[in-house]
Amino acid sequence: MSIENEETELECHADKGCDAIDLIIQPQEKDLGEFSVRRTLPNKERKTVGPWIFFDHMGPAIFPAGSGINVRPHPHINLATVTYLFEGEILHRDSLGSFATITPGDINLMVAGKGITHSERERPEVNNVDHTLHGLQLWLALPEKDEEIEPAFYHYPSADIPATKVNGVPLRVLMGSAYGLTSPVLTYAETLYVEAHLQTGQSLTLPNCAERAIYVAKGSLKIKDTFIPEFAMVILSEAEGVLIEATAESRIAVIGGEKMGKRYIEWNFISSRKERIEQAKQDWRDGKFAKVVGDEKEFIPY
């Protein structure tokens, strides 16, 4: 996705809640034209959770024929994007020549490194009929040693993502290791990304890592006596053995990993160096980024 022009110095801080909860974040609605998203990261109260630096919840959106996802080519540096859908599909193209349709359960990992351009659209077969879209898109800050690596694109089909049940709760380990499973999705730092689907009354003990958060994509939870509403993100403390209970049928995402150093964000650029972002802005204005293969005519101006 592309985001509006904003500059934020990404430094973590936390407020105190119960012993398992540092902070509860309510998302901000962001209008992307054809539809809006709920954005929880970056947030004025919390900018990162482990290496995760951006978190958008798309939909659920219902599009009439002729409308839908239509994100023109735009650039990224020093980050990796992770796209995961519950419903619908997105057609990915990039300046490496990648051409992939992401469908529910798949993972698309696009590593921007020193620079990449991509677009997110829809196949005509999808756009020509009424259709839905529902999913999450996240960005990872690359470790400083990997910020300028060669760009790359990886597509992991749903069948390759490990799944299990814990106390009757079906879950998938999308990235990293948890519950005795390890995802094949490439990581550059310690990274955690788990999806779980709880029925009312079911409970789940969360995996431990340096920094963690839960996002309630559907339903509601409680942690001890604290109620967690739909669309909220809970920033957790370092307490071990945190137990969540579903107070309604719930779909959640658990994200986390190792704490990263300070990052800056402006528009679609993230870096540990402000001057690198300035260079990227000028390079995009000057047309120095490679064009998206098969989608060369349009672009999003800075």
Side-chain angles (χ1 to χ4, degrees), residues 1 69 71 74 76 81 83 89-102 108-111 116-123 137 152-155 292-293 295:
M1 290 295 174
I69 294 291
V71 182
H74 57 278
H76 293 288
T81 66
T83 306
E89 66 172 61
I90 295 175
L91 178 62
H92 168 94
R93 292 186 179 94
D94 62 39
S95 50
L96 302 175
S98 309
F99 183 93
T101 299
I102 182 169
N108 263 18
L109 175 68
M110 185 185 74
V111 182
I116 198 168
T117 310
H118 77 133
S119 64
E120 294 154 298
R121 305 196 190 252
E122 295 173 341
R123 295 183 301 130
Q137 188 171 77
F153 176 79
Y154 305 94
H155 178 82
V292 173
V293 178
D295 198 350

Side-chain angles (χ1 to χ4, degrees), residues 53-73:
I53 202 166
F54 179 92
F55 190 109
D56 266 4
H57 182 189
M58 307 174 287
I62 301 174
F63 298 113
S67 66
I69 294 291
N70 189 30
V71 182
R72 293 169 292 161

